[in-house]
Amino acid sequence: MSIESTINQLREELRQHNYNYYILDNPTISDYEFDMKLKELQDLEEKHPEFFDANSPTQRVGGTITKNFNTVVHDFRMYSLDNSYSKEDLLDWETRIKKLVDGDVQYTCELKYDGASMNLTYQNGKLLRAVTRGDGVQGDEVTANVKTINTVPLQLKGNFPDRFDIRGEIVLPIAGFIKMNEERIATDEEPYRNPRNTASGSLKLQDSAEVAKRPLECLLYSIKGNSLNITTQFEGLEKAREWGFKVPNEAKLVNSIDEVFEYVAYWDEHRHNLPYEIDGVVVKVNSLYQQDELGFTAKAPRWAMAYKFKAEQVSTTLNEITYQVGRTGAITPVANLKPVQLAGTIVKRASLHNADQIEKLNIREGDEVYVEKGGEIIPKIIAVDFTKRPSDSEPTKYITNCPECKTELVRIEGEAKHYCPNYNRCPPQVIGRIQHFISRKAMDIEGLGGETVALLVNEGLIKNYSDLYDLTIEQVIPLERMAEKSAENLINGIEASKQIPFERVLFALGIRYVGETVAKKLAKHYKSIDALMFASSLDLITVDEIGERIAESVVEFFNSEDNREIINRLQSFGVQLEISAEKLANQTNKLNGQSFVVSGVFETVSRNELKKLIEDNGGKVSSSISSKTSFVVAGDKMGPSKRTKAENLNIPILTEQAFLRLLK
Ligand code: AMP
Ligand code: ZN
């Protein structure tokens, strides 16, 4: 078999497995087997770039960086929907329809998915582009990001029209949302507020590899095109399903407005059993002929109507306000409620965010309060029922001291939250910081989990993360649920973390506002903790992407004697606190201030190696050519449009060899 047909066959197979897994929810091979086949295809494609296909299953992992999203005018305008909130509203709508069309009217009832609307254009069965709704007339092209969503087919099956648009909603299923938030909380990042905003925010991320990591789905509900050979909305849904799209099965064809009411009532009650959030249902006149007769108002189709569910509310008693201390010392007031059933779960607690919120609500212990579950997973308190306030109730006094260590709290100007400044002695801060230190993206210490950290601190075996490095097996074995084997693993895991490179150690230290990216920037610029420690605020802000807020936080961290002592100890244990000599040897400033665009296929180095070479030598890599580009490094098969652009802007084009000479 020729290489090309092997590649095509693998692509076809992987497509089918993707479909089985994501659309049918019925995989027929193991994840491992799938990964192996994908790897095989990746290798072949890398060796044979002449068979590149932008819609290959390998393109799902992302990696494209988009700086500016292009604006694209929709072929068919994306209208909004009229809203209704009651049976009467729906009956009025029916009356209006019956005046304008003859004959019986059937309705397709669908769920109203709560996410971000998306228009996909397919040509010859391939995804051509994906565009956000924007203002309805034009939106942003986000194809690279949408391609990473597994439920968006890159190649259709069956008998599809040559060209058409299909619309859907990009949603983040609740389980995936919760998992993402657990990971964020573990690294002390602010959790996302709700799935809808997270889904729409994801579409505008610049790095499509980041989008690929998010468990987004695309649920389809409408096809647009010329001469499609479809006569009803419901038939459209069935066809879309046949072509490989994810069209939820809850859609229902009904014959009367009474049946619409039944559908509405059913889903108002059962919506919490769905894997994703909906905020209502959408009712559509089924016949496309009748739809044509009805037409559009300035804003929405006359043939469709959204029915919005009310956000569910209940009232209950606020028993007590307690206060939580986070890893960075931030205080969060929590409302402890008399348990109450709401939106399918029992609610016991709600966040009160900060002192301002308490003041705004004028809320007191003992109050009867209204709790609502809207788009947010965490319920919120909407209002107090002042008619029920007990006569002996007392105004809420915000705490002045840390509930855990009794230190006086501080509130930095311009910030909403109070902080406990007892950075190195306040137990939840101590535990939280060590938990961050050992986490996967930081020191990634195998054999040590968050609970064990808490145990070690509570038993007085460690006081900060540097103490991990002189733990012994004998100290650990007596701990609860610790067998000899796991104690050994733990100590080995700690030992192994001494190899973790400097940039990750820097992230692991848990300096406020120093996330992964900032840590990388700082490590690259200062090269060692000693240099960083002596950097002034003024010096720090000269580093690319480091602002005042970060600079001050870094300076403050190293101003603390405790912290300097901890760093000394880490150093004495052999933790990597500078860029390794080997890495340093490969780094220069030769390309400082120069910006490169890399295009085509190269002989002696891979494209990624080439990019790394540029960055290691102080240059910048960007994805598109502009007047700011200093050089284009061109390999074999450089895109013709890139070449024309470079030539028009008079930007020198370097061959691979010429570039490597530049470095020597
Ligand atoms: P609105 O944003 O309130 O004007 O509602 C219109 C939006 O609802 C559309 O742009 C879609 O993104 C979304 N929507 C969700 N589910 C459906 C559905 N089944 N049919 C049509 N639109 C839907
Ligand atoms: Zn404290």
Side-chain angles (χ1 to χ4, degrees):
M1 195 163 32
S2 74
I3 300 285
E4 186 172 12
S5 36
T6 311
I7 288 183
N8 283 334
Q9 195 182 329
L10 271 170
R11 284 178 183 160
E12 197 41 57
E13 245 182 89
L14 285 163
R15 243 172 236 135
Q16 185 61 39
H17 287 307
N18 240 325
Y19 177 77
N20 294 345
Y21 188 98
Y22 290 103
I23 310 280
L24 301 182
D25 216 357
N26 183 21
T28 54
I29 60 170
S30 69
D31 291 358
Y32 177 77
E33 285 169 295
F34 182 89
D35 289 345
M36 287 297 107
K37 281 195 198 295
L38 188 68
K39 176 103 200 1
E40 190 183 342
L41 178 58
Q42 268 165 344
D43 289 347
L44 281 174
E45 286 182 351
E46 194 150 308
K47 277 201 209 105
H48 298 276
E50 64 273 25
F51 300 129
F52 174 81
D53 176 355
N55 286 329
S56 165
T58 53
Q59 301 301 305
R60 298 256 190 221
V61 293
T64 334
I65 306 285
T66 316
K67 284 277 184 256
N68 296 304
F69 296 95
N70 287 331
T71 308
V72 173
V73 177
H74 296 298
D75 286 348
F76 303 89
R77 184 173 152 187
M78 291 181 85
Y79 283 88
S80 170
L81 288 172
D82 282 332
N83 289 324
S84 61
Y85 302 91
S86 65
K87 274 190 183 179
E88 288 70 46
D89 291 349
L90 283 174
L91 283 170
D92 288 349
W93 177 58
E94 189 201 25
T95 312
R96 291 201 298 274
I97 289 174
K98 292 268 163 105
K99 275 192 201 139
L100 294 169
V101 298
D102 298 327
D104 293 337
V105 178
Q106 285 190 310
Y107 302 95
T108 301
C109 300
E110 297 166 24
L111 302 179
K112 189 166 189 294
Y113 319 114
D114 202 8
S117 24
M118 179 53 53
N119 187 75
L120 307 174
T121 304
Y122 282 83
Q123 189 159 295
N124 301 324
K126 287 189 194 303
L127 175 66
L128 186 68
R129 65 182 195 208
V131 181
T132 63
R133 181 164 96 169
D135 62 4
V137 176
Q138 53 184 36
D140 292 325
E141 198 203 319
V142 290
T143 317
N145 286 346
V146 167
K147 261 189 193 170
T148 68
I149 301 173
N150 285 303
T151 41
V152 172
L154 302 179
Q155 167 72 54
L156 302 181
K157 321 170 342 134
N159 207 355
F160 42 79
D162 292 343
R163 182 178 169 118
F164 64 95
D165 280 8
I166 184 162
R167 283 163 189 183
E169 200 81 356
I170 308 278
V171 300
L172 186 55
I174 296 166
F177 175 76
I178 291 175
K179 189 152 169 271
M180 273 172 73
N181 265 351
E182 279 169 359
E183 280 171 20
R184 284 181 77 82
I185 290 165
T187 52
D188 206 40
E189 285 166 289
E190 188 71 20
Y192 296 113
R193 287 298 273 273
N194 63 54
R196 183 197 343 125
N197 292 354
T198 316
S200 60
S202 304
L203 297 178
K204 298 301 271 302
L205 290 176
Q206 294 191 336
D207 183 356
S208 62
E210 272 311 305
V211 187
K213 287 187 206 149
R214 303 191 172 184
L216 299 162
E217 290 198 8
C218 183
L219 311 175
L220 283 312
Y221 53 72
S222 157
I223 306 173
K224 299 278 166 201
N226 299 317
S227 47
L228 288 178
N229 231 344
I230 297 173
T231 59
T232 70
Q233 165 66 13
F234 200 74
E235 184 191 350
L237 297 180
E238 286 174 327
K239 288 250 167 86
R241 225 174 257 136
E242 282 166 24
W243 302 333
F245 291 99
K246 179 144 186 162
V247 179
N249 285 314
E250 286 79 13
K252 190 173 176 194
L253 181 60
V254 305
N255 294 310
S256 70
I257 203 79
D258 281 328
E259 284 178 78
V260 171
F261 295 155
E262 280 170 30
Y263 186 86
V264 167
Y266 181 86
W267 285 110
D268 197 0
E269 189 185 335
H270 291 91
R271 59 175 147 143
H272 303 293
N273 304 338
L274 292 164
Y276 39 78
E277 293 193 319
I278 60 172
D279 60 342
V281 306
V282 184
V283 190
K284 296 172 185 169
V285 169
N286 190 42
S287 151
L288 298 191
Y289 177 77
Q290 287 178 334
Q291 284 192 6
D292 258 354
E293 281 186 311
L294 288 162
F296 296 84
T297 66
K299 159 180 169 272
R302 288 199 187 83
W303 43 263
M305 183 58 85
Y307 181 97
K308 290 263 186 112
F309 294 139
K310 285 189 201 65
E312 280 180 63
Q313 258 189 20
V314 285
S315 78
T316 186
T317 316
L318 169 62
N319 287 333
E320 193 191 3
I321 298 176
T322 55
Y323 299 84
Q324 266 177 1
V325 188
R327 153 165 88 80
T328 52
I331 307 290
T332 306
V334 178
N336 295 267
L337 307 164
K338 184 171 157 223
V340 60
Q341 181 86 24
L342 173 66
T345 52
I346 292 177
V347 175
K348 294 183 205 145
R349 287 145 62 88
S351 165
L352 286 168
H353 302 295
N354 52 48
D356 293 344
Q357 179 74 2
I358 291 181
E359 204 165 303
K360 205 167 108 203
L361 289 169
N362 180 10
I363 197 172
R364 301 176 180 183
E365 288 181 350
D367 273 344
E368 196 66 14
V369 296
Y370 295 107
V371 184
E372 183 179 294
K373 211 162 182 181
E376 285 84 33
I377 297 280
I378 307 157
K380 61 179 177 208
I381 296 183
I382 302 301
V384 172
D385 183 350
F386 292 111
T387 63
K388 300 215 175 112
R389 176 165 280 174
S391 56
D392 60 348
S393 98
E394 300 257 347
T396 303
K397 279 201 214 79
Y398 204 82
I399 48 166
T400 53
N401 293 71
C402 175
E404 302 278 346
C405 73
K406 308 292 176 264
T407 306
E408 195 174 334
L409 300 180
V410 294
R411 194 179 198 184
I412 301 164
E413 222 184 87
E415 285 193 22
K417 294 215 165 201
H418 287 72
Y419 282 89
C420 165
N422 189 12
Y423 196 76
N424 285 317
R425 305 272 186 285
C426 181
Q429 296 193 57
V430 169
I431 294 172
R433 199 164 313 109
I434 303 174
Q435 285 171 338
H436 167 74
F437 185 82
I438 66 161
S439 66
R440 199 169 43 83
K441 287 183 177 167
M443 301 303 273
D444 192 18
I445 298 187
E446 240 174 90
L448 179 56
E451 281 174 35
T452 311
V453 167
L455 219 53
L456 289 168
V457 172
N458 292 335
E459 294 288 320
L461 290 172
I462 57 175
K463 293 197 177 62
N464 59 60
Y465 36 65
S466 74
D467 296 339
L468 288 170
Y469 293 92
D470 57 11
L471 277 178
T472 61
I473 295 197
E474 292 71 32
Q475 281 177 306
V476 182
I477 287 180
L479 289 180
E480 225 177 293
R481 271 178 293 155
M482 186 62 76
E484 191 166 331
K485 186 76 200 148
S486 33
E488 232 167 74
N489 285 343
L490 193 160
I491 301 294
N492 289 341
I494 293 172
E495 185 59 30
S497 75
K498 292 180 184 169
Q499 303 310 320
I500 295 288
F502 176 48
E503 56 185 45
R504 275 175 59 189
V505 178
L506 197 51
F507 168 62
L509 296 181
I511 305 171
R512 198 187 306 170
Y513 307 132
V514 178
E516 273 180 290
T517 331
V518 171
K520 262 188 205 155
K521 293 254 142 82
L522 290 175
K524 200 168 153 198
H525 185 91
Y526 289 100
K527 303 195 169 54
S528 74
I529 201 105
D530 293 327
L532 179 62
M533 216 169 340
F534 291 111
S536 67
S537 204
L538 277 178
D539 186 42
L540 280 156
I541 54 175
T542 63
V543 182
D544 196 26
E545 279 176 48
I546 308 295
E548 237 166 79
R549 194 180 65 144
I550 301 174
E552 269 160 28
S553 162
V554 172
V555 169
E556 191 189 316
F557 182 87
F558 291 112
N559 266 344
S560 141
E561 187 138 349
D562 280 336
N563 286 338
R564 288 201 305 268
E565 171 63 29
I566 293 171
I567 304 257
N568 273 340
R569 270 168 62 77
L570 288 175
Q571 220 149 16
S572 70
F573 289 121
V575 172
Q576 305 291 317
L577 289 171
E578 55 186 35
I579 293 189
S580 71
E582 182 194 353
K583 195 157 179 190
L584 212 52
N586 292 326
Q587 289 194 353
T588 72
N589 289 328
K590 275 187 192 148
L591 306 180
N592 249 3
Q594 320 252 38
S595 161
F596 291 79
V597 171
V598 176
S599 175
V601 185
F602 300 90
E603 268 169 33
T604 52
V605 288
S606 77
R607 197 177 340 187
N608 279 338
E609 280 164 351
L610 196 67
K611 288 183 182 169
K612 201 166 164 299
L613 272 176
I614 293 171
E615 284 175 349
D616 282 349
N617 288 288
K620 260 196 177 167
V621 181
S622 69
S623 57
S624 62
I625 299 175
S626 73
S627 55
K628 296 204 183 81
T629 310
S630 327
F631 294 99
V632 175
V633 188
D636 213 16
K637 302 199 180 61
M638 171 184 183
S641 63
K642 275 206 173 135
R643 181 172 293 276
T644 323
K645 194 155 181 196
E647 281 166 1
N648 287 344
L649 292 170
N650 261 328
I651 292 163
I653 301 180
L654 300 177
T655 62
E656 179 178 351
Q657 300 317 326
F659 171 76
L660 294 174
R661 273 199 301 276
L662 195 71
L663 283 184
K664 288 226 180 81

